[in-house]
Amino acid sequence: MGYHFMIMIYSQVKSTSFQVRMMKDSDPSWKPTFIVKPDGGCQGDGIYLIKDPSDIRLTGSIQSRPAVVQEYICKPLLVDKLKFDIRLYVLLKSLEPLEIYIAKDGLSRFCTEPYQEPTLKNLHQVFMHLTNYSLNIHSGNFIHSDSVNTGSKRTFSSILCRLSSRGADVKKLWSDIISLVIKTIIALTPELKVYYQSDIPAGKPGPTCFQILGFDILLMKNLKPMLLEVNANPSMRIEHEQELSPGVFENVPSPVDEEVKVAVIRDTLRLVDPHKKKRKDIQCQTLEHVSEASEELLDAGRADRPEYEASRSPEAGLPSLCLKQVFPKYAKQFNYLRLVDRVAALFIRFLGVKGTTKLGPTGFRTFIRNCKLSNSNFSMASVDILYIDITRRWNSTGIDHKESGMCLQAFVEAFFCLAQKKYKSLPLHEQVASLIDFCEYHLAALDEKRLVCGRGIVERRSAVVPCQADGLHLTPAAHTPLLNRTATASKFADYRNHRY
C-alpha cells in the first residue's frame, strides 16, 4: 500500500461508533462495510474488513499508530466475475509551475476468487475482496500469463478494449479519470510545497525534483472511477517470483509489467532531463554553422551517413511518449480549486527561517499586519488568541511534534475564520477567494514599496533612505509581487466596503 495520502481517523473508536450509529439512524437502509488499513503499511499487510467500527483491532502495535478507515465499495465493476482495480502511473513533473502527466496505459490487478458482496461469513476472504497483487500471488488460483489480455494481471488498455466492445463510453471514462487525478494532486500540492521549500534551495536552475505516483482506482458498475489510494513509492518491478520446486524460486520476467513500467520510466527521464533543452540549443547552433559553411556537403553527408540523423536527434529512434500532459493543459477547468494553493503561498511567505514547516506567533502577527487585517474590531490580542487556540488544537492531534508552531492545516483553518469574519454576507468559497485577493493586493503594494526604496538606495548610495516595512524584512528579489496592482485596483474599492 505504501505511503498514501488519505484522510486519517485519529478519533476514539467509541466516537466513531457513535457517528456511524447516528448515520444509520438517519438512513436505516445504509448498511456499510468498512476496510481498515494500518498507516504506513504496504503490500496489503494488516488490511481487514469490518461491519462495525467497534470491531477495529486494538491489539499489538496497531494501538500505537493510526489507521485509515474507508467505507468499502460493495458494487464494483466485475470482469469474468472477478473484482479488480487499476494502477495508473502519474508523473508530477513540477510543483511550480504545476505539471502533471498520466500514463496512457496502466495495470489491472484481479482478485483470484469470484466476487460476492461482503457478509459476516466472507469478510475474511481476502482473495475475494482485496486486489493487492502481493496478496493474490499467494493464491492457488493466481494466473501468470505471457499475454497482456489474460491472467490475474493485465494491461488497463485490454480492459478498455473489452468495455468498448460492449458499447461503453471509454472516452468519458478517461475524462473522469483525468479529472480525478488532477483534483487529487491539487489537494496534495499545498502541503507538498511547504515541504519542498524547506528542502530545495530557492532559485536552483532546472528540474529539482519529480515524483512518479501510483493511483489505485476502482471502477463502479456505472464506470464511475473511485480513488482508493495514492502511492508515493509504487513498485517498478518487471518480474515476479516463480516457485520451481518447494522452497526454490526464480525471478521470471512479467510481460505486462515490462510493457507498462519500462515506458513510464523511460519517458519520465525524457521529460525531466535537465540537459535536453541545452542539447537542442547546441544542436541548432551547430547545424546553422554547418549549413552556412557548406550546405552541399551537408546534404551529401546525410545520404551516406544514416547515423547523422541519430546524432542530430537522440530521441528519433524512441517510441512516442506514453505520458500525456493533463495539467496545465486542462488548467482552466480546475483553477477554481486552487484556493488552498494560494493560501499555502501566503503561509510559505511568512515562515521566515529556511527549513521550517510551521509558522511561529511572530510570523502570524506579521501576516496580519502586512495584509492589513487588524482593526478596532479585531485587535492584535484577538490575533494572538486565534493563533493559540487553533495551533493548540492541531498540535493535540499528535501528527507532528518535531517542531512547534502553526502547521499549514491550522493556518488554513485560521484563514477561513478570518474570511468568515471579514465577508460575512458571502458564501464560503467567495469569502476565501475575496480574502486571498485582499491579502495579495496589499502584499503586492508592500513589495512595490520595497522595490522603490531599494532603487532609491542604489541610486543614492551615500545617502540613507529610510524604508521600514512592518514585520519581515525581505528583499524584493526573494518575493516578487503576488498580484499585479493595476489588475486589482478595481477590486480594492469593494474591499473597503467590507469590515469586521
Side-chain angles (χ1 to χ4, degrees):
M1 185 167 63
Y3 176 78
H4 37 263
F5 305 96
M6 291 182 184
I7 299 173
M8 306 198 69
I9 298 178
Y10 291 91
S11 57
Q12 297 289 333
V13 174
K14 289 183 180 179
S15 174
T16 306
S17 300
F18 176 73
Q19 293 172 9
V20 171
R21 281 199 302 272
M22 286 186 62
M23 293 182 67
K24 286 183 176 180
D25 292 340
S26 62
D27 182 8
S29 65
W30 186 58
K31 298 179 180 179
T33 300
F34 300 99
I35 182 168
V36 184
K37 306 177 181 181
D39 179 40
C42 62
Q43 298 182 340
D45 182 42
I47 299 177
Y48 58 96
L49 273 61
I50 57 174
K51 282 288 188 179
D52 193 293
S54 62
D55 294 332
I56 292 178
R57 302 167 190 168
L58 293 178
T59 57
S61 60
I62 191 67
Q63 190 172 13
S64 62
R65 59 175 179 168
V68 177
V69 181
Q70 299 170 283
E71 184 178 350
Y72 183 81
I73 299 172
C74 296
K75 298 185 182 296
L77 177 69
L78 303 180
V79 171
D80 300 330
K81 298 182 180 182
L82 298 173
K83 179 182 175 181
F84 70 98
D85 73 354
I86 304 160
R87 162 63 61 83
L88 285 181
Y89 295 97
V90 176
L91 171 63
L92 183 54
K93 182 175 179 285
S94 169
L95 281 176
E96 194 61 54
L98 183 60
E99 285 188 66
I100 308 170
Y101 293 78
I102 298 180
K104 296 177 183 178
D105 203 357
L107 301 173
S108 298
R109 304 170 301 184
F110 283 76
C111 289
T112 48
E113 290 183 9
Y115 179 76
Q116 298 175 15
E117 290 195 19
T119 63
L120 289 175
K121 292 183 178 180
N122 67 27
L123 286 181
H124 66 283
Q125 296 184 27
V126 294
F127 297 147
M128 176 188 295
H129 295 295
L130 303 183
T131 55
N132 302 69
Y133 165 78
S134 54
L135 290 176
N136 281 281
I137 196 174
H138 298 293
S139 167
N141 297 327
F142 191 92
I143 301 173
H144 290 290
S145 175
D146 291 333
S147 170
V148 298
N149 303 314
T150 59
S152 297
K153 185 188 286 188
R154 314 176 194 177
T155 59
F156 180 43
S157 58
S158 70
I159 302 298
L160 292 178
C161 289
R162 190 163 177 172
L163 293 175
S164 180
S165 67
R166 297 176 181 178
D169 191 345
V170 173
K171 288 186 177 180
K172 183 182 184 303
L173 173 58
W174 258 120
S175 177
D176 291 342
I177 289 175
I178 290 172
S179 177
L180 180 151
V181 168
I182 293 176
K183 289 177 180 178
T184 302
I185 291 186
I186 284 177
L188 297 176
T189 50
E191 189 165 5
L192 289 178
K193 286 183 177 180
V194 171
Y195 286 98
Y196 179 91
Q197 63 81 34
S198 68
D199 295 327
I200 306 298
K204 186 176 180 181
T208 49
C209 67
F210 65 91
Q211 184 102 21
I212 297 176
L213 303 172
F215 274 66
D216 291 347
I217 298 170
L218 190 71
L219 295 183
M220 305 281 283
K221 282 186 176 180
N222 61 0
L223 295 187
K224 179 182 178 181
M226 301 289 289
L227 178 66
L228 297 180
E229 63 186 42
V230 181
N231 293 266
N233 187 27
S235 170
M236 286 297 171
R237 287 191 63 178
I238 58 173
E239 55 190 19
H240 61 83
E241 286 186 347
Q242 187 173 30
E243 190 171 12
L244 301 178
S245 59
V248 179
F249 297 85
E250 73 169 354
N251 291 323
V252 179
S254 169
V256 178
D257 288 292
E258 186 172 347
E259 179 164 327
V260 174
K261 296 177 181 178
V262 169
V264 169
I265 295 175
R266 178 195 65 222
D267 292 347
T268 295
L269 296 177
R270 291 166 70 182
L271 286 169
V272 302
D273 182 2
H275 302 295
K276 184 175 181 180
K277 185 178 183 301
K278 185 176 180 181
R279 284 200 303 268
K280 284 185 176 180
D281 293 340
I282 294 174
Q283 288 166 4
C284 288
Q285 293 173 6
T286 303
L287 287 176
E288 288 174 4
H289 177 74
V290 173
S291 179
E292 291 173 0
S294 179
E295 187 64 32
E296 293 182 0
L297 289 175
L298 182 61
D299 291 337
R302 286 175 182 169
D304 298 332
R305 291 177 296 162
E307 72 275 7
Y308 175 82
E309 290 294 335
S311 63
R312 185 184 64 166
S313 178
E315 298 187 6
L318 294 177
S320 59
L321 285 172
C322 77
L323 296 171
K324 173 185 178 181
Q325 188 193 82
V326 296
F327 201 95
K329 182 177 181 179
Y330 303 118
K332 290 183 179 180
Q333 302 175 37
F334 300 96
N335 274 337
Y336 75 97
L337 296 172
R338 303 192 69 187
L339 288 181
V340 178
D341 211 40
R342 294 167 67 189
V343 174
L346 298 174
F347 176 79
I348 291 171
R349 174 173 178 137
F350 291 95
L351 281 177
V353 180
K354 182 68 178 176
T356 60
T357 59
K358 291 189 176 182
L359 186 67
T362 302
F364 188 72
R365 289 169 64 93
T366 302
F367 157 71
I368 297 293
R369 284 198 302 266
N370 286 7
C371 294
K372 311 294 183 185
L373 296 178
S374 63
N375 53 35
S376 58
N377 296 324
F378 188 64
S379 65
M380 293 307 292
S382 300
V383 171
D384 291 337
I385 292 172
L386 178 67
Y387 175 88
I388 292 170
D389 287 348
I390 293 180
T391 301
R392 182 179 296 164
R393 184 167 65 255
W394 277 92
N395 287 344
S396 67
T397 62
I399 296 176
D400 183 7
H401 287 308
K402 292 181 180 179
E403 56 179 307
S404 61
M406 175 180 274
C407 63
L408 173 63
Q409 294 87 345
F411 181 81
V412 170
E413 181 182 338
F415 196 90
F416 276 42
C417 289
L418 294 170
Q420 291 172 317
K421 282 177 175 289
K422 192 169 184 64
Y423 304 104
K424 297 179 181 178
S425 62
L426 298 177
L428 179 60
H429 186 276
E430 293 182 26
Q431 289 175 340
V432 175
S434 298
L435 185 59
I436 292 172
D437 288 339
F438 183 85
C439 293
E440 290 177 341
Y441 176 88
H442 284 291
L443 292 174
L446 181 61
D447 287 340
E448 187 172 324
K449 179 180 176 182
R450 288 170 175 158
L451 185 61
V452 171
C453 291
R455 288 173 179 171
I457 293 174
V458 173
E459 292 172 358
R460 299 188 298 273
R461 292 181 180 179
S462 58
V464 178
V465 180
C467 177
Q468 292 292 329
D470 292 336
L472 296 178
H473 299 278
L474 304 173
T475 62
H479 293 277
T480 55
L482 295 175
L483 203 64
N484 186 283
R485 292 186 67 193
T486 304
T488 56
S490 60
K491 295 181 182 179
F492 193 60
D494 297 331
Y495 299 146
R496 287 181 287 190
N497 296 328
H498 299 279
R499 293 287 184 265
Y500 287 109

